[in-house]
Amino acid sequence: GSVALPDSVPQIDMRGRYLAPGFWDMHVHLAYIGSEHVTAPVMVANGVLYARDLSSDCVKSECAAKRNIKEMRALQASIDGDEILAPHLVGLASFAVDGPRVAGERGRPQEPSYLGPATAPEGMKLAAYFDERDVDFIKVYNTLPRNAFFGLMAEARRRNLEVVGHLPKSVSLSGALEAGLRSVEHARELPLACSTIAEGYREEYSQWSPLSAEEYVAKKEASPNGDDAINLPKRYREIINTQDADLCDNIITSWAAMESYYVPTHLTREAEFLIADRPYETDPRRAYVNDLVLNISWEPSAKSYETFFAENEDGRASYVDFHELGLDLTGRAHAAGVKILVGTDVGDILIYPGFSFHDEMDRLSQAGLSNADILRAATLTAAEFEGLSATHGSIATGKQASFVFLADNPLADIAHTQSIVGVFHQGHYYDRDALDEVLATASSKTSGLSFYATMGWDLATRALPRQLWGDGGADGIGHHHVH
């Protein structure tokens, strides 16, 4: 009441309410054509107003339904220009860099070998390729060989291009952090690093990761018991049983002193033991997952895990215990000073856009983070990662007006982040009725005639022309990223 405002300035009565900065989901996959119709607006309706995309450069031959970096930059501009209701895309990563075997299986023979690098020079060449394509980050993945990883890291550092992603199986966590890996994704990596079997596992895998698809098949036939495609629950159990507290403390202490962040995505580990029960069949949030995703991803995954658990007595328990170990280690890492970010892996099984962000904050609470620290991870720490903390991530004069209005105090209970009564985004205020309308519109596009009409139009006007005539920047190179 002490400030005189022009009549043109909207005034919102929020007495008795709570104000939070807009939330940041730091691990999403919005490159799928059509994500702007459902996934993105549903995220905004849940207060997620910023996002880092971890697969923003799917290139021509394998990407009928995913965007490349040129198209993602266009989407980014449309969002920032207030043409599309979506979170601001604050970071766009390359396709996931795998080893030569996996890259060969997904690509085509004429593709250059450095897209699935086996050597340090090939890794360096790939870093240069991504720099030319103008990605914000390079994303590394599971099968990238050790020499290729360190070659890529060295060249990326020389070019001031940051690297994020999975920890390649042949590389130690400490080695990757020392090389400059800017963020570590998923709660698989720290439990392995804290295990006494880690070094042996890395040496075992380093024999397989540099192989081409043909070499891999030949080696597998010659030594079937040495195949790297191990029984994952068995390996999880081995990791659980071989934790070394002193080793873990040393790794975590070193990590805390580095400018590297941790995005544990605990829900993705939880999904491994939940999906077999098909909880999505009765979850009302299913309304925001389109039929195509359900039929080609969630349901096949449910069948696969269901069969596996039926045949492996300790299978489900290993996944459950591994998930709980991951929660414990996240809490220990945070207590030591490792910087935690909130990420959901939107696009993966059992991840409901926007809604799962609040679930992930709950898992961080289970890991032992205070409500204040969880809110900080979801806002200011993310802005700091992106180098935007001077203008984003908190509520202060001169900062971006990006707000979530809550009915209940999230410092009292982190579940209160779900009590959203309004969102201020891109200069627009969306009250509860407007947010419900956003959700209803998005839900109407997940199935039936509306869904197929929308997807058909997007594929016909965007994906098909690219497949037929190229995109003017992908060099005819194809790569496919899957979880």
Side-chain angles (χ1 to χ4, degrees), residues 24 50 88 379-380 383-384 388-394 399-400 402:
W24 300 53
Y50 300 89
H88 291 290
T379 55
L380 186 56
E384 290 171 348
L388 295 172
S389 58
T391 53
H392 293 73
S394 61
K399 288 203 170 188
Q400 183 72 27
S402 174

Side-chain angles (χ1 to χ4, degrees), residues 8-320:
S8 60
V9 175
Q11 297 183 46
I12 307 163
D13 186 353
M14 283 290 163
R15 285 173 292 188
R17 306 299 196 182
Y18 297 84
L19 183 64
F23 302 133
W24 300 53
D25 191 332
M26 295 299 280
H27 192 126
V28 308
H29 298 279
L30 293 178
Y32 294 95
I33 291 175
S35 63
E36 66 271 31
H37 302 304
V38 177
T39 305
V42 170
M43 291 173 69
V44 171
N46 278 277
V48 179
L49 308 185
Y50 300 89
R52 182 182 63 147
D53 192 273
L54 270 291
S55 55
S56 294
D57 192 22
C58 201
V59 288
K60 182 170 175 276
S61 67
E62 298 296 315
C63 298
K66 293 182 71 176
R67 294 178 170 92
N68 57 41
I69 188 64
K70 181 180 177 181
E71 293 163 325
M72 286 298 287
R73 290 293 181 205
L75 178 64
Q76 189 179 46
S78 295
I79 295 168
D80 292 345
D82 201 22
E83 300 169 20
I84 295 173
L85 181 60
H88 291 290
L89 297 177
V90 292
L92 304 180
S94 71
F95 61 72
V97 180
D98 264 322
R101 171 174 64 86
V102 177
E105 290 171 350
R106 296 175 184 169
R108 299 188 298 191
Q110 69 268 30
E111 293 175 352
S113 61
Y114 64 78
L115 286 191
T119 65
E122 287 182 331
M124 296 172 70
K125 191 169 185 178
L126 185 55
Y129 169 79
F130 285 132
D131 192 22
E132 293 169 1
R133 290 185 67 78
D134 190 34
V135 300
D136 297 322
F137 306 98
I138 298 174
K139 181 181 180 179
V140 293
Y141 215 60
N142 301 335
T143 69
L144 184 62
R146 181 182 300 165
N147 289 342
F149 172 80
F150 286 109
L152 182 147
M153 292 296 297
E155 183 64 16
R157 186 166 57 249
R158 190 181 75 81
R159 292 171 174 269
N160 199 31
L161 183 59
E162 294 182 337
V163 182
V164 302
H166 293 207
L167 185 69
K169 294 179 182 178
S170 58
V171 178
S172 71
L173 178 57
S174 295
L177 293 173
E178 290 169 4
L181 190 65
R182 186 77 199 290
S183 71
V184 178
E185 312 299 312
H186 310 308
R188 283 186 295 246
E189 321 303 1
L190 189 53
L192 174 61
C194 292
S195 164
T196 56
I197 71 168
E199 184 174 354
Y201 174 58
R202 288 192 296 271
E203 291 304 318
E204 171 192 336
Y205 201 82
S206 67
Q207 300 175 24
W208 296 87
S209 58
L211 302 180
S212 67
E214 294 77 14
E215 292 170 333
Y216 175 85
V217 170
K219 183 176 176 67
K220 182 178 178 181
E221 290 177 347
S223 55
N225 294 327
D227 182 7
D228 72 291
I230 58 169
N231 180 317
L232 191 56
K234 180 180 178 182
R235 181 55 55 96
Y236 279 178
R237 182 60 63 192
E238 292 172 345
I239 291 171
I240 293 166
N241 292 339
T242 55
Q243 291 291 294
D244 185 316
D246 292 336
L247 171 66
C248 202
D249 286 342
N250 289 336
I251 292 171
I252 289 174
T253 300
S254 297
W255 191 353
M258 299 178 182
E259 282 301 310
S260 178
Y261 293 65
Y262 189 27
V263 193
T265 68
H266 287 295
L267 292 178
T268 59
R269 300 286 67 76
E270 191 175 287
E272 291 176 329
F273 60 83
L274 289 180
I275 188 72
D277 296 330
R278 295 175 174 81
Y280 51 86
E281 291 182 345
T282 56
D283 194 315
R285 299 173 299 179
R286 154 74 181 86
Y288 309 104
V289 179
N290 73 53
D291 286 350
L292 190 61
V293 169
L294 192 76
N295 292 330
I296 69 173
S297 177
W298 293 28
E299 184 58 28
S301 294
K303 289 179 180 178
S304 176
Y305 279 101
E306 182 180 45
T307 300
F308 182 81
F309 291 157
E311 297 172 352
N312 294 269
E313 183 177 349
D314 189 45
R316 187 190 295 264
S318 293
Y319 281 111
V320 172

